[in-house]
Amino acid sequence: GEGASGRHESFQLWCLFGWCMKEGKPAFLDDVSSYNPATGTWTTQHPQGSQPPPRSYASCVVFRGCIYIFGGCNGSLASNFRSDLWILEVEDSYWQRVVLPSDSVPPPGRSQHSMVQYGGTLYMYGGNNKVGGKRHLLSDFYSFDPVKLRWTQLSNGASGEGPGKRSGHAMSMVNG
């Protein structure tokens, strides 16, 4: 059998985007780094392709060797809420924006939402955006089929199903 070190030889942790303070002002980041636990080293990645705009508070999941990243925000007072979906093909180190079919409508732009992958489907819940200039908490629930490139709204949260309006939460897939 494989020893403890052999099981995780190619395992890496990836850190994407975010924000920091530069010269006393918020700066939105578009960088990508990976960490190799076997060697204890960080590596700045330089993916090819069309790079996503800088953002913070996005969500991401891994599916079939690709990192899917949705939403987030940038701009003055983090007021530009994004509804775009991007794929980072890890092995080829290549960014690709997901172009949806004309009959697939993405969820409204948002930040501080959660996303998991289960059985080949991505699931996204909640977050926040702005409506009429005011912060708006979300309780909607969506799925995304990465083969058909199709978003489906599973619930809008209006009838009280689900955990309710929330932002900045965590969500995890549990087997069992």
Side-chain angles (χ1 to χ4, degrees), residues 19-28 75 77-78:
W19 71 276
C20 68
M21 296 297 287
K22 287 188 179 177
E23 299 176 6
K25 296 180 181 178
F28 293 92
L77 300 174

Side-chain angles (χ1 to χ4, degrees), residues 22-40:
K22 287 188 179 177
E23 299 176 6
K25 296 180 181 178
F28 293 92
L29 306 172
D30 62 1
D31 60 341
V32 178
S33 298
S34 64
Y35 176 77
N36 184 327
T39 63

Side-chain angles (χ1 to χ4, degrees), residues 17-63:
F17 306 110
W19 71 276
C20 68
M21 296 297 287
K22 287 188 179 177
E23 299 176 6
K25 296 180 181 178
F28 293 92
L29 306 172
D30 62 1
D31 60 341
V32 178
S33 298
S34 64
Y35 176 77
N36 184 327
T39 63
T41 57
W42 281 98
T43 303
T44 300
Q45 301 292 329
H46 302 282
Q48 301 302 305
S50 178
Q51 175 106 3
R55 66 192 65 212
S56 64
Y57 304 114
S59 62
C60 70
V61 297
V62 175
F63 177 64

Side-chain angles (χ1 to χ4, degrees), residues 103-120:
D103 62 341
S104 180
V105 178
R110 66 194 58 220
S111 69
Q112 300 181 5
H113 50 292
S114 61
M115 193 162 58
V116 297
Q117 183 274 133
Y118 172 71

Side-chain angles (χ1 to χ4, degrees), residues 78-160:
S79 60
N80 181 21
F81 292 89
R82 309 203 59 90
S83 63
D84 50 350
L85 180 64
W86 292 79
I87 299 172
L88 175 56
E89 297 176 14
V90 174
E91 188 174 328
D92 297 332
S93 189
Y94 189 83
W95 278 114
Q96 176 181 331
R97 184 177 181 156
V98 174
V99 178
L100 301 173
S102 60
D103 62 341
S104 180
V105 178
R110 66 194 58 220
S111 69
Q112 300 181 5
H113 50 292
S114 61
M115 193 162 58
V116 297
Q117 183 274 133
Y118 172 71
T121 299
L122 313 183
Y123 294 92
M124 184 189 65
Y125 188 82
N128 73 77
N129 59 18
K130 284 189 178 178
V131 175
K134 294 184 178 182
R135 184 75 58 179
H136 179 71
L137 292 177
L138 302 167
S139 59
D140 50 359
F141 189 39
Y142 286 85
S143 67
F144 179 76
D145 181 329
V147 175
K148 295 179 181 177
L149 303 178
R150 187 163 314 284
W151 284 103
T152 302
Q153 186 174 25
L154 302 175
S155 85
N156 64 12
S159 63

